[in-house]
Structures are given as C-alpha cells and as structure tokens.
Amino acid sequence: MLAYLGRRAADALLAVLGVSTIAFLAIRLSGDPVALLITEYATPEDVERVRRALGLDLPLWQQYLRFLADALRGNFGESLRFLKPAAPLVYGALPATVLLAAAALVVALLVGLPLGVLAGARRGSLADGAAVAVATLGQSIPYFWLGILLIMVFAVHLRWLPAFGSETLRHLVLPALTLAATPMARIARIVRSGIVEVLTHDYVRTARAKGLRHARVLIHHALPNVAIPVVTILALDFGTLLGGAVVTETIFAWPGVGRLVVQAIQSRDYPVVQAVVFYLAMAFVGINLLMDLIYARLDPRIRYQ
Amino acid sequence: MAALATAFLALVVLAAVAAPVVSPHPPTRQQIARRLTPPAWMPGGSPEHLLGADQLGRDIASRILFGARISLTVAALAVGIAAATGVSLGVVAGYYGAWADRVLTRLADIQLAFPLTLLVITLIAILGPGLVNVVAALGLGGWAAYFRMTRAQVLMVREMEYVMAARCLGVPDARIAWRHVLPNAISPLIVLASFSVAQVIILESALSFLGLGVQPPTPTWGGMLADSRDYLAIAWWLAASPGLALTLTVLAINLVGDWLRDRLDPRLVL
C-alpha cells in the first residue's frame, strides 16, 4: 500500500512537473514578455533593466530552475493586469469554483442516481426510455447553450433567479444546474447499466428468494455494487467539471478560477495563466490520487501492490 | 434512431459542403436596417431571413450553414491528427514494447492527468487563437486516449495464434503490426473516435464562445452564441438556432456512437 502510494505520488509529481514545464514554456514561446510590460517610450536601457530584474538575461535552464523554485514557493510573479502577485488571485478565486463544482456534483448525484436506479430496475419501461433520453440529451447539450437557455427562461422571462454575479446563494442555482447536466447524464447512464448488470447476479436472486422487498434489494444489494463505477466516473469527470467551470463561470460572471484564467488569456496576463494552470493541475492530480484511495475503501477486493 | 441520426449528420455535412451555394446571403454581409429581424414565421419576420437576422443584420441561417463548415473541419482534422498519432504510437508501444512503451505510456499518463479542456486552453494561450491553432491544440490534446486504447488492444491481439502463425511464416514485424494486429484491434477505436468527434465539436464551440477559437468575422456556432448573450431579453432567436444546430449535431453523433458501440463492442464503457 505504501509502495503503491509512493509510486502514485511520484507519478503525480511528474504530471505536475510536466504541466508546469508547459506553463513555463508558454511565456517564453509567446513572444518577449518584456514587450508587454514596457511603454513605447522605454529606452533600450530600460528594457535591459526590466529584463535583468525579471531574470530574463539568464540562460534558459537557469530561468527554468528559478521558475520551479518560485512555483514551489507559490510565487508566480505579478499579474500584469492587476499589478498584484498572481498566486493570491488564484487562492481568492478558488473557493467560488469549489462551491460551484460541489453544488453541481450534488445536483448531478441527486438527479442522476435515482434516475439511473429507476431506469435500470425497470429496464425497457417507459420510465427507462425517458431516463435514457434525458441522459443522452444531457450528454449532448453544450454547457454554454444550456446556460443561455436557463438565463433566458429563469432570469429574463420568469425573473425568478439572477443571471449574473455571486452575492447570494440564489446566484448559485443557475450556474450549478448548468454545470450539473453532463455529470448527471453520465451518472444516470453508468448507474443504469450497473443496476441492469447487478440484478442478474445470484446474490440478488437469493435476496429476492428470501422474500426481501424490491426496494430493499435495490438499495442494500444492488446499489453498493454500483458505487465503484460511479466513483470512477466522478473522478474522471472532475477534469471535465473543471473545463465546464471555465465556460460556466464566464457565462454567469461567477468569480471563480475559470473566469480568471479566461480573462488572463485574453489580456495576455501570463503569470496568472501559469499560476492557475499549476494549481488546477495540482488539484486534479491530488483528487485522482484521493479517488484511488476511496476505491480501496469501497471495494475490499481491491488491494494495491 | 441511429438511422435518423445518420441521416441528420449526412444533411449537416451536405449543408457544410454546399454552404456557399445554398445559403441565401453571404454570411458576413451586414444590413443594419435589418438588425434583429425575427424568424420568418414571427410577426415582423421576413421570408428573406428564414431564421432571422442578428445584431448586425447578418442572416442567421447563412451563418449557421457556414458555421457548420468550421465545426466539421476542425472536428475531422483534430480527430484525424489525434487518432493517427495515438494509434501509430500505440501500435509501436504495444507491439514492440521495451523502452518506447515505457516512455510513451508515461507521457500519456502525464497528459491524461490533466483535464483536456484546460490543456487545450493552455495550448491556445501559447499558440494564440485561429483555425490552425485550434486544430493543433485539439489534435495534440487528444492523442493520449487513442494511444492507451490501441496499446491495450495490441497487447491482447499480439498473443493470438494467427499472429504467431504469421510470425512463423517469416512475415516482417512491421507488416504483422499493420496488416494483422491493427485491423483486429480497431473496433473500440472506431467507437472512441465517434465519441471524440462530438467532444471536439463541443470544445471548438466552447473556444469560439470564449473568444479563443476561430476569430470573427468567420461565423462559428460558438461565436454566434457568444454574441447572442447581449440580446437574450429582446431577440431569443440569436441564441436558439445556433445552439439547436450544435446540440442536434452532437446528439446525432452520440447516438451514432452508441449504436456503433452496441454493434462493435458492447462491453466497452465510454
């Protein structure tokens, strides 16, 4: 177990290293960063001074080592747009993204799980057909269109909910629903096929033969065996969720990391881009590691060598 | 259902190819007097603009037709690049193994440890927006999934008796890998490709929506949706038709993908 953890942690570290190398190269490949910092009145001496101050006069490998050392200390330089250190900007935006993603996951589970169980338990019924249709649609509708439709219906026409901002919990409803659609659809599909499969097993027949009620068989015998694929999907979808958050936050002006990175790319604010990429990669890799550990809890048959 | 979806996709492809011939207006022609014209069936609509006109008086139907070209071109090229790279490397890694396998597997693991959307956005931040860069970013970003699946398939097929037989007959390795192993490993790859076309179309639109994709004035579905946001209260049709085009296309591809999976490889979980 410990050896396994060590190997996974080493892999995770390598992934973060790879990603931060991309982030480092981003700033070097996209042109002279000094050009973004100076005004047109700067003399060649000024340019040289800025270059030296940023360490850009050093050989590339020295710059790279410096960048890594700084990144480990959470120092990504100053945002070119806000003229503040980049890392705290990311920390500041992180809670909003976590709140949004968590709310979306809760909605996805609350809708997707019962939908999948219902469909799987009554395979071939009208309810099953409806559930599959909802899941297929949920998988196909792009976040940004769903977001626009929700704004149009609930904010513009019915005026029930606010379309933009983040002041109250009511502001959370539409973005969370938007972000929930895809994971909801995935969960419903996976749970459905899991239930269909599990219901053919002998232990389910035994439970039935004992005279247990249908609902009890479903909840106590079938559902726990569907938990693993659901956790897998949640882990895999965490990345999709982050990607979806980028778009969703932009639509709803939700002040999270996604909106921060889009604005940073648009204004060529590379320190912020680097910081966001670094932290999101860390978060993603960390969550994947955590999910692996959760598997072992859920399924005693899984033992790591 | 699959037949209907295939027919719809054929229609979309046809519309994209024939866009210059069939669209009623040039997609970028602005007619300010006709700005925000509603669809033809609504009061105030005009038969000249079947789906209405946008905030600059451009014909929405024509823009959707031309937008289909971008979506389909990007999807075909990006999936082609990703699949070609991933499959070739996967065959090399799976069939020959050794150090190439170790290096490539590690590389793919690293890449898969990073969410695709974020990777593509980061690549766009480096490369800058535009058609070529969007294709490059989506193509480069997508290879790992094909690599992993090809490698796994090849590892399995490699041990089959007919491969052994070919080897005993003295067939060269490269020929065995391409003529005997790959064709028998290809069904799940076709399924993967069909689903990733849908994914790439959504991602391309998302990039255009964020202003990081193909740049205006070229019409894209995502760009049209981005423009529509300022007019939601007064002109719903700006958002409705490009979104519907996008969703129906993706839905059709997913339905075809489901059907392919059930036909080719029912055990596959995608």
Side-chain angles (χ1 to χ4, degrees):
Chain A
M1 186 70 193
L2 264 180
Y4 173 81
L5 252 187
R7 205 169 64 232
R8 283 303 313 266
D11 271 1
L13 215 65
L14 213 63
V16 173
L17 191 72
V19 167
S20 38
T21 307
I22 294 182
F24 167 80
L25 287 175
I27 207 167
R28 269 75 198 173
L29 289 179
S30 60
D32 191 352
V34 176
L36 297 171
L37 290 172
I38 52 167
T39 66
E40 50 193 302
Y41 303 111
T43 63
E45 291 79 45
D46 291 338
V47 174
E48 199 44 50
R49 210 166 49 239
V50 174
R51 199 181 294 280
R52 203 164 321 121
L54 291 174
L56 293 171
D57 54 335
L58 300 170
L60 201 62
W61 65 271
Q62 278 188 21
Q63 287 185 43
Y64 181 59
L65 288 183
R66 234 191 202 200
F67 164 75
L68 285 184
D70 278 350
L72 285 178
R73 275 182 256 130
N75 177 10
F76 291 89
E78 286 210 339
S79 157
L80 307 179
R81 195 159 68 108
F82 298 103
L83 301 176
K84 284 194 285 197
L89 282 173
V90 182
Y91 304 147
L94 215 49
T97 299
V98 171
L99 179 65
L100 176 60
L105 268 185
V106 169
V107 172
L109 271 174
L110 283 181
V111 180
L113 209 59
L115 206 64
V117 172
L118 198 75
R122 299 185 189 284
R123 189 182 181 193
S125 69
L126 203 66
D128 181 24
V132 171
V134 167
T136 311
L137 196 66
Q139 211 162 28
S140 303
I141 192 165
Y143 290 113
F144 37 101
W145 196 47
L146 182 60
I148 286 176
L149 288 182
L150 289 175
I151 290 179
M152 226 153 35
V153 173
F154 292 103
V156 175
H157 285 288
L158 297 173
R159 296 179 184 280
W160 286 355
L161 292 161
F164 307 108
S166 60
E167 288 77 36
T168 66
L169 271 186
R170 295 180 46 198
H171 288 87
L172 180 61
V173 178
L174 292 184
L177 285 179
T178 303
L179 196 52
T182 307
M184 180 278 287
R186 297 260 288 177
I187 291 170
R189 284 176 80 120
I190 297 291
V191 169
R192 176 183 177 275
S193 58
I195 293 276
V196 166
E197 206 253 341
V198 165
L199 286 183
T200 64
H201 281 252
D202 288 342
Y203 57 82
V204 169
R205 205 175 43 196
T206 308
R208 287 247 173 84
K210 280 196 304 186
L212 293 185
R213 298 210 355 244
H214 190 57
R216 194 181 159 81
V217 173
L218 270 181
I219 293 170
H220 288 272
H221 296 260
L223 209 50
N225 288 291
V226 179
I228 296 239
V230 169
V231 173
T232 312
I233 290 304
L234 288 183
L236 287 175
D237 270 2
F238 183 70
T240 324
L241 209 62
L242 283 181
V246 171
V247 180
T248 309
E249 288 176 2
T250 306
I251 303 173
F252 293 97
W254 185 261
V257 179
R259 195 171 67 130
L260 184 68
V261 75
V262 170
Q263 289 175 342
I265 291 175
Q266 280 163 351
S267 55
R268 300 173 67 83
D269 192 351
Y270 289 106
V272 174
V273 176
Q274 286 183 334
V276 171
V277 165
F278 186 80
Y279 285 117
L280 285 189
M282 292 272 270
F284 186 65
V285 168
I287 293 251
N288 273 344
L289 200 57
L290 196 70
M291 286 294 178
D292 272 0
L293 297 179
I294 294 179
Y295 288 157
R297 283 251 157 240
L298 284 176
D299 189 344
R301 283 169 303 186
I302 296 178
R303 282 288 171 262
Y304 298 112
Q305 258 85 57
Chain B
M1 224 30 194
L4 202 69
T6 313
F8 180 76
L9 284 181
L11 197 72
V12 174
V13 173
L14 199 71
V17 173
V21 188
V22 294
S23 39
H25 299 268
T28 52
R29 185 174 65 191
Q30 304 181 6
Q31 293 172 289
I32 292 300
R34 296 184 182 176
R35 68 192 298 268
L36 303 180
T37 306
W41 63 86
M42 294 211 355
S46 135
E48 266 199 66
H49 299 287
L50 191 58
L51 300 176
D54 71 3
Q55 73 281 5
L56 298 173
R58 297 172 296 192
D59 182 50
I60 292 179
S62 308
R63 292 176 67 72
I64 288 181
L65 290 172
F66 274 88
R69 305 188 112 188
I70 299 291
S71 288
L72 296 184
T73 311
V74 169
L77 291 176
V79 171
I81 292 173
T85 318
V87 169
S88 324
L89 293 177
V91 169
V92 170
Y95 192 77
Y96 295 102
W99 63 268
D101 184 29
R102 281 200 295 278
V103 171
L104 288 170
T105 305
R106 185 52 68 86
L107 260 177
D109 283 350
I110 290 176
Q111 177 160 343
L112 287 173
F114 201 60
L116 182 61
T117 313
L118 216 57
L119 181 72
V120 169
I121 287 182
T122 311
L123 287 173
I124 291 291
I126 302 173
L127 301 168
L131 180 65
V132 176
N133 291 344
V134 168
V135 168
L138 288 167
L140 283 177
W143 74 280
Y146 293 93
F147 169 80
R148 209 178 240 192
M149 189 174 268
T150 309
R151 178 179 171 274
Q153 284 287 310
V154 168
L155 283 177
M156 206 170 66
V157 175
R158 190 173 74 161
E159 306 302 328
M160 298 275 171
E161 278 164 10
Y162 56 82
V163 174
M164 179 73 81
R167 199 172 289 151
C168 291
L169 287 171
V171 180
D173 266 353
R175 194 178 158 82
I176 294 180
W178 293 105
R179 296 297 294 272
H180 299 271
V181 174
L182 188 58
N184 288 296
I186 210 151
S187 326
L189 290 169
I190 293 174
V191 178
L192 177 64
S194 68
F195 285 116
S196 64
V197 168
Q199 191 188 23
V200 165
I201 288 184
I202 290 192
L203 268 176
E204 181 275 321
S205 307
L207 287 175
S208 299
F209 182 82
L210 296 173
L212 305 174
V214 178
Q215 295 295 297
T218 309
T220 56
W221 292 347
M224 292 173 77
L225 284 173
D227 289 345
S228 79
R229 277 182 299 171
D230 296 334
Y231 303 92
L232 293 183
I234 50 170
W236 56 267
W237 54 93
L238 262 58
S241 35
L244 204 60
L246 180 58
T247 305
L248 286 179
T249 305
V250 172
L251 182 65
I253 296 171
N254 280 335
L255 286 174
V256 171
D258 278 345
W259 179 79
L260 276 174
R261 180 192 50 204
D262 294 344
R263 282 296 299 269
L264 294 173
D265 195 350
R267 287 155 307 157
L268 203 63
V269 181
L270 273 180

